[in-house]
Amino acid sequence: PRVQAIFGKARPVTAHPYLVDERKIPAAVMEEERFKGRIYQDRYGNVMFPHRDAEGICGLELKNHGKSVLVKGSQKGLWTSNVFANDKTLIIAEVAIDALSYAAIFMKPDTAYAAVSGAMGPKQYTTVMELVRKMQNLESIILATDNDEGGDHIAEKLETYLKGQGFTGEITRHSPESRGDDW
């Protein structure tokens, strides 16, 4: 209930100042149809990324200068861009800002984006698989994780899970070049 009440007061944004000025994500990326209605701002000016599961909004991730939290009462789900019928590639990043950064560097057509918000719980794996099954033209998944132990762990677990669930498309990992870096 708390998460729903907070989300109900949020407004969608395209180019939040924190994302543009601090994180250097071009406004043009967030203005793409791919990301419309997927980035919000709360009443305090924080960027808000809604997490969804099979039942709908289950969590809210807040980001701003010196702030990176899940709203009290949130459960991690999956933040996603808009997904279109012709999408052939799915990028899975650790957090939504990494997904947006990845899009800024490597934006290509027919590609959807998702983020798990760090270490994953069992319900998140199910949510990822639901998205994969929904994407009928999906050919490849790119695990755009950080170049660190956490990124290694997430990528290994996701790849094992996806293959174990019968995904037969290509799965690759793409991380920043330097150890310790994120997107």
Side-chain angles (χ1 to χ4, degrees):
R2 175 174 162 70
V3 169
Q4 294 298 327
I6 292 170
F7 185 69
K9 295 176 184 174
R11 64 181 180 83
V13 295
T14 52
H16 190 279
Y18 170 71
L19 297 175
V20 174
D21 299 336
E22 182 78 18
R23 298 307 299 255
K24 306 300 185 206
I25 299 169
V29 169
M30 293 173 279
E31 292 166 357
E32 289 280 334
E33 195 65 32
R34 178 70 59 191
F35 298 109
K36 285 187 179 173
R38 297 303 183 158
I39 306 165
Y40 290 78
Q41 180 173 310
D42 70 7
R43 64 183 177 168
Y44 303 106
N46 299 304
V47 179
M48 190 163 58
F49 298 103
H51 283 236
R52 291 175 170 81
D53 61 15
E55 288 81 47
I57 303 291
C58 62
L60 300 171
E61 185 176 354
L62 301 182
K63 300 285 188 179
N64 211 336
H65 304 280
K67 180 177 283 194
S68 180
V69 298
L70 285 171
V71 168
K72 186 177 180 179
S74 289
Q75 293 182 2
K76 286 185 187 180
L78 191 64
W79 173 84
T80 62
S81 68
N82 290 308
V83 177
F84 302 121
N86 62 340
D87 288 339
K88 293 180 176 77
T89 303
L90 174 62
I91 307 296
I92 302 176
E94 289 188 47
V95 294
I97 290 177
D98 290 348
L100 291 168
S101 297
Y102 195 90
I105 300 167
F106 303 107
M107 181 71 90
K108 64 180 187 170
D110 305 330
T111 300
Y113 298 82
V116 297
S117 192
M120 295 176 65
K123 190 175 181 181
Q124 287 179 284
Y125 287 98
T126 302
T127 304
V128 167
M129 200 62 217
E130 288 168 355
L131 175 61
V132 167
R133 287 188 177 120
K134 176 182 167 184
M135 297 178 68
Q136 295 180 356
N137 293 311
L138 187 61
E139 297 172 358
S140 66
I141 297 173
I142 298 172
L143 306 173
T145 56
D146 298 348
N147 191 345
D148 60 18
E149 285 184 37
D152 297 344
H153 182 75
I154 290 169
E156 289 168 14
K157 296 284 275 186
L158 264 173
E159 182 172 2
T160 299
Y161 176 78
L162 290 164
K163 287 179 178 177
Q165 291 296 307
F167 179 72
T168 57
E170 180 182 17
I171 301 173
T172 57
R173 179 174 181 194
H174 189 193
S175 296
E177 197 171 303
S178 298
R179 192 70 175 162
D181 284 351
D182 61 10
W183 293 110

